[in-house]
Amino acid sequence: MTHKHRRNRLDREKSPYLLQHADNPVDWQPWGEEAFALAAEANKPVFLSIGYSTCHWCHVMARESFEDEVVAALLNETFVCVKVDREERPDIDKVYMAACQMLTGQGGWPLTIIMTPEKAPFFAATYIPKESRSDSIGLMDLTSRIAESWRGNSERFRQSAEEIVASLNHVWHASSDGGLPQDVQNQALAQLVEQFDDLFGGFGTAPKFPMPHQLLFLLRHGSRTGEAKAIRMAEKTLQAMAAGGIHDQLGGGFHRYSTDPRWLVPHFEKMLYDQALLFLAYTEAFQVTGNVFFPEVAEKIFAYVLRDMTDLRGGFYSAEDADSEGEEGKFYLWTQRELEELLSHEDARVATHYFAVEPQGNYTDELKGGYTGYNILHRQQNLADLAARLKMTEDALRQKAAAIAQILFKHREKRSRPHRDDKILTDWNGLMIAALARGSRVCRKKAYLDAAKSAADFILNHLRDRNRRLLHRWRDGEAAMPGSLDDYAFFIWGLIELYEADFDPRWLDTALELNDDLIRCYWDEERGAYYFTPADGEKLLLRQKEIYDGAIPSGNAVASLNLIRLGKMTGRHDLEERASLLLRSVAGAIRQMPGGCAQFMTAIDFLAGPSSKVVIVGVPGREDTRIMCETLNSYYLPRLVVLFRPAGAMDPLLVELAPYVRDMAMIDRKATAYVCVDQTCSTPTSDPMEMIRRLKGPPVK
């Protein structure tokens, strides 16, 4: 629709999501005191709409309501309307999402909040249709009712909002002190076993999210205890996702979640954090299982991120949209006829079977209903059976399918691409840096390390303020928004992984510097653990702490593992003690739902030990040093920290960070490993396999 009204105030913003709404006839305001002052002066409630630029249902609500002149006029008359990008302002989103979940029992985006000019919510919902339906009130009717009620008794709304805020504060400030049961990891496993889908993998029913941090916990727990079921659950889920429509079979990378139990029909947007965490999960699964298929999936994720999600300056973009040309998934869908027109007769036959293409399609439109004739490409997991039916060897089938995929991919690149959200976020970049740095060690891929280093340098050069504190968002030359706990925790994680990948002490030094900032500005001195926002940040309705994992792991959980690793690497016991204090302070919440705290289980696993430390002393670049490092990286040792002390002249920065390495030297002029398990250190060795034997030790009972 073409509008002849003036652009609203969102046209001054940098957020792609806000700019998408700059031409709406709704008189949107960006979040800020000016909007709330306007609401107070006019005695109007505030209509807060929170979403993100690649959100399908955000687009639907925009087309139905926010681009409609009649709806916009009603909204403008009744409310002061405020738009927020949840990715740019996760602090605001978390506060009002908590309110929505408390009031409705669910959450999601678009998030719709109606509140007083004092920012206190009294109504919450997600997507609201324009017109009322049998199962839900429409936006037109809702607005009219609130307008009439507000004029009649606005104090009733204020009183209700105050009660909601009081309830929210009670939830977030409730004490959770206490110890953790010794079998808390077994309790977490039991909850995940109960939720596990034995048929298709994953947890729960539709919609199904990848939740890779749960898979990482299962790999660790299974490796520690010998619990084969834990590893089988992770392996089955990773295999099923890789074969499903949630995995882009042509271009690599994963969509946000599956709308069905089989991982077939995805919600088509692609998020950077999913790529990072799944890259890490497939990498670690390769170490645990030896399944060579897993690093192939990781390689395709990297190819996608490098090709489509990497800024020329080195940072990684946030997301790609679910929609293109106004339709969800259109970029990714295929008809059987298209395949037959593009491919030879034989290749079309193979493609139809390999990618499970149906003449009527396998994709149903949830708005229109019924099959559309379009197919989401996915594949059978049992290639041996398919190869036999096609009278081919498995190797021949794989090669043929790869060649076909290249043809289809090149054709798909000519289509109208989904919108890409090109803002660069510190927290999601931190996750990608951590994953790529770890992957560079496990898969011996220098390209992974190069990409991780470029992104880290981008963050350090462009996303720190004049006091050297982290900022959250960069776009179009502008860095803004104070960093959150997630920004610090995830980026510090990335820096630790970078140090263990290339042994440049500046990464470790910066990680410690940022960790000090995190403690100073975010730590709760009264109750322990970290707040999501800094002490000097904008004052919102409440200052939250994130304990449970969501689509991404809890910032507090990641920060606790960072403290443990940094403490062991540097010999600073105060950091490990703070990690223990953090875990004690959130123990009550973990006890209530250990399965929802998979990332905390990883930290608990490391702290419980046995944990190991290896210092390799050698000549950088020399063959014996390379072999020692590669041998170490070939084994799954999740409770290990590694340092490198160059032989000869001592790096003064490394000595400052880890003074205990000063007197370590090579034995017989060979690369030498100094191995400590818990508090016991063995004699140094120049034999890589002896190093491994000392690290692995006897089985854990």
Side-chain angles (χ1 to χ4, degrees):
M1 181 184 296
T2 301
H3 303 299
K4 295 184 179 178
H5 59 274
R6 63 178 177 81
R7 299 191 90 193
N8 57 50
R9 289 194 58 225
L10 300 184
D11 66 354
R12 309 172 194 177
E13 299 297 309
K14 292 288 187 182
S15 158
Y17 176 64
L18 300 186
L19 291 171
Q20 284 175 350
H21 293 269
D23 282 321
N24 290 171
V26 178
D27 189 17
W28 293 115
Q29 307 278 323
W31 179 276
E33 289 308 315
E34 185 176 339
F36 293 99
L38 183 63
E41 181 181 353
N43 190 28
K44 286 184 175 183
V46 173
F47 181 91
L48 173 64
S49 178
I50 303 177
Y52 56 102
S53 77
T54 59
C55 164
H56 169 68
W57 285 102
C58 299
H59 300 330
V60 174
M61 192 167 175
R63 288 193 295 268
E64 288 181 349
S65 297
F66 302 148
E67 295 174 7
D68 185 284
E69 299 279 359
V70 175
V71 178
L74 186 57
L75 290 173
N76 293 339
E77 180 182 353
T78 307
F79 304 113
V80 170
C81 298
V82 175
K83 263 285 178 194
V84 167
D85 180 342
R86 67 165 289 257
E87 295 169 358
E88 188 174 73
R89 292 300 305 266
D91 52 342
I92 298 169
D93 177 61
K94 288 179 184 295
V95 168
Y96 292 103
M97 185 60 72
C100 182
Q101 290 169 335
M102 187 178 76
L103 292 171
T104 70
Q106 60 185 6
W109 300 276
L111 175 60
T112 305
I113 299 289
I114 302 176
M115 56 187 177
T116 69
E118 295 77 34
K119 307 177 186 176
F122 57 81
F123 175 87
T126 53
Y127 162 77
I128 303 175
K130 174 184 173 182
E131 305 287 353
S132 293
R133 302 172 182 171
S134 59
D135 60 341
S136 61
I137 190 170
L139 189 58
M140 296 280 286
D141 287 342
L142 175 68
T143 302
S144 297
R145 291 184 192 180
I146 289 178
E148 182 178 351
S149 299
W150 182 270
R151 285 193 297 269
N153 189 0
S154 62
E155 285 307 309
R156 179 171 64 88
F157 286 101
R158 285 187 163 90
Q159 182 178 352
S160 174
E162 287 173 5
E163 292 171 357
I164 291 168
V165 172
S167 296
L168 282 171
N169 274 288
H170 175 74
V171 169
W172 288 102
H173 291 135
S175 173
S176 60
D177 290 341
L180 287 168
Q182 292 211 348
D183 66 342
V184 67
Q185 294 178 70
N186 290 329
Q187 292 178 19
L189 175 63
Q191 288 188 355
L192 293 177
V193 167
E194 186 177 345
Q195 299 165 15
F196 185 66
D197 183 341
D198 285 301
L199 191 58
F200 299 115
F203 303 94
T205 57
K208 266 189 183 171
F209 290 80
M211 302 300 284
H213 32 297
Q214 293 181 343
L215 306 180
L216 291 167
F217 159 64
L218 291 173
L219 293 171
R220 279 165 171 72
H221 192 66
S223 175
R224 165 193 276 278
T225 63
E227 177 63 71
K229 183 173 179 63
I231 294 174
R232 283 199 304 271
M233 289 164 63
E235 191 170 14
K236 181 177 182 64
T237 301
L238 289 167
Q239 288 174 329
M241 286 194 299
I246 193 174
H247 181 206
D248 181 355
Q249 301 292 332
L250 303 182
F254 284 80
H255 301 295
R256 183 164 168 252
Y257 65 84
S258 176
T259 63
D260 68 297
R262 299 168 50 207
W263 305 106
L264 171 61
V265 182
H267 209 39
F268 285 93
E269 66 257 49
K270 287 180 173 179
M271 315 303 292
L272 180 66
Y273 59 77
D274 282 326
Q275 314 315 316
L277 293 166
L278 284 166
F279 183 98
L280 193 59
Y282 280 100
T283 299
E284 290 202 9
F286 166 58
Q287 280 189 300
V288 174
T289 67
N291 187 335
V292 295
F293 170 67
F294 290 150
E296 291 176 6
V297 179
E299 174 66 28
K300 291 177 182 176
I301 294 173
F302 173 69
Y304 160 66
V305 170
L306 191 66
R307 182 186 66 241
D308 295 332
M309 298 287 283
T310 304
D311 188 85
L312 292 175
R313 302 167 185 83
F316 300 115
Y317 299 138
S318 297
E320 283 196 307
D321 209 328
D323 296 13
S324 57
E325 301 181 69
E327 296 182 28
E328 184 180 15
K330 185 173 183 179
F331 181 75
Y332 300 100
L333 300 174
W334 298 83
T335 64
Q336 183 171 340
R337 183 174 180 179
E338 281 182 287
L339 299 186
E340 291 169 349
E341 291 174 348
L342 279 171
L343 304 170
S344 68
H345 177 75
E346 176 59 20
D347 283 0
R349 184 178 77 92
V350 172
T352 298
H353 286 86
Y354 185 85
F355 291 119
V357 172
E358 302 288 346
Q360 77 277 14
N362 58 33
Y363 177 58
T364 57
D365 189 304
E366 56 188 308
L367 292 177
K368 300 175 183 176
Y371 286 104
T372 61
Y374 287 100
N375 287 273
I376 302 164
L377 302 187
H378 64 294
R379 58 175 181 75
Q380 295 188 31
Q381 293 188 56
N382 193 330
L383 289 186
D385 286 352
L386 179 57
R389 282 193 284 125
L390 294 173
K391 298 180 180 180
M392 303 171 69
T393 66
E394 283 189 60
D395 283 345
L397 176 57
R398 285 193 183 91
Q399 292 174 16
K400 173 68 76 173
I404 290 169
Q406 278 299 305
I407 295 171
L408 298 180
F409 173 76
K410 288 179 181 177
H411 179 77
R412 195 181 75 177
E413 286 293 279
K414 300 174 185 176
R415 296 177 178 176
S416 178
R417 290 194 63 87
H419 156 74
R420 180 175 63 197
D421 190 317
D422 61 356
K423 65 179 178 290
I424 295 172
L425 302 177
T426 298
D427 50 353
W428 297 2
N429 271 253
L431 292 174
M432 198 74 229
I433 292 163
L436 289 173
R438 179 83 61 82
S440 73
R441 297 168 58 198
V442 174
C443 303
R444 301 181 189 178
K445 296 273 190 178
K446 183 177 180 295
Y448 296 172
L449 179 58
D450 290 343
K453 289 164 66 174
S454 293
D457 281 331
F458 179 89
I459 300 298
L460 294 174
N461 291 331
H462 296 282
L463 278 152
R464 297 181 85 176
D465 65 17
R466 60 186 177 184
N467 296 316
R468 297 178 62 78
R469 287 170 61 181
L470 286 177
L471 296 169
H472 175 61
R473 183 270 291 154
W474 184 94
R475 184 175 185 272
D476 194 23
E478 179 193 89
M481 317 301 173
S484 69
L485 165 62
D486 287 0
D487 291 308
Y488 277 87
F490 298 170
F491 187 52
I492 290 168
W493 181 10
L495 293 172
I496 293 170
E497 296 291 347
L498 267 179
Y499 172 74
E500 292 192 329
D502 76 352
F503 299 123
D504 184 341
R506 74 181 175 107
W507 305 125
L508 186 55
D509 183 45
T510 306
L512 287 162
E513 178 189 349
L514 293 176
N515 196 69
D516 288 344
D517 286 345
L518 184 58
I519 293 169
R520 185 177 66 256
C521 300
Y522 296 76
W523 184 259
D524 181 350
E525 293 291 347
E526 182 180 350
R527 297 182 180 89
Y530 294 104
Y531 287 110
F532 187 75
T533 52
D536 56 355
E538 180 181 346
K539 298 299 183 284
L540 300 174
L541 283 182
L542 60 149
R543 198 174 171 210
Q544 289 178 299
K545 292 178 185 174
E546 291 288 302
I547 309 302
Y548 297 111
D549 298 322
I552 58 177
S554 153
N556 264 297
V558 172
S560 66
L561 185 55
N562 291 342
L563 286 166
I564 297 165
R565 294 175 72 187
L566 289 172
K568 292 186 180 299
M569 294 171 89
T570 62
R572 283 182 55 184
H573 298 298
D574 62 301
L575 297 180
E576 293 186 67
E577 289 168 1
R578 189 175 292 272
S580 296
L581 175 59
L582 195 163
L583 288 168
R584 288 197 301 273
S585 73
V586 300
I590 294 175
R591 286 198 305 270
Q592 290 177 13
M593 194 168 61
C597 299
Q599 188 67 30
F600 267 120
M601 295 303 124
T602 299
I604 292 166
D605 174 74
F606 206 122
L607 196 62
S611 62
S612 307
K613 175 162 58 184
V614 172
V615 180
I616 295 174
V617 184
V619 177
R622 207 168 73 179
E623 181 70 2
D624 58 341
T625 302
R626 182 187 64 79
I627 291 172
M628 187 72 79
C629 293
E630 288 184 356
T631 301
L632 192 62
N633 293 333
S634 298
Y635 287 83
Y636 184 62
L637 300 163
R639 293 179 296 280
L640 171 72
V641 296
V642 187
L643 290 93
F644 179 73
R645 188 239 195 261
M650 190 64 218
D651 186 321
L653 180 56
L654 182 61
V655 170
E656 179 185 342
L657 300 174
Y660 63 88
V661 306
R662 179 192 301 273
D663 297 324
M664 294 179 176
M666 292 194 298
I667 305 298
D668 297 328
R669 299 183 180 180
K670 296 178 182 177
T672 302
Y674 289 74
V675 178
C676 296
V677 178
D678 284 341
Q679 307 304 317
T680 303
C681 298
S682 54
T683 56
T685 179
S686 296
D687 181 348
M689 293 314 299
E690 178 60 26
M691 169 185 68
I692 297 300
R693 282 191 289 272
R694 295 177 185 181
L695 285 168
K696 293 183 78 69
V700 177
K701 300 297 184 185

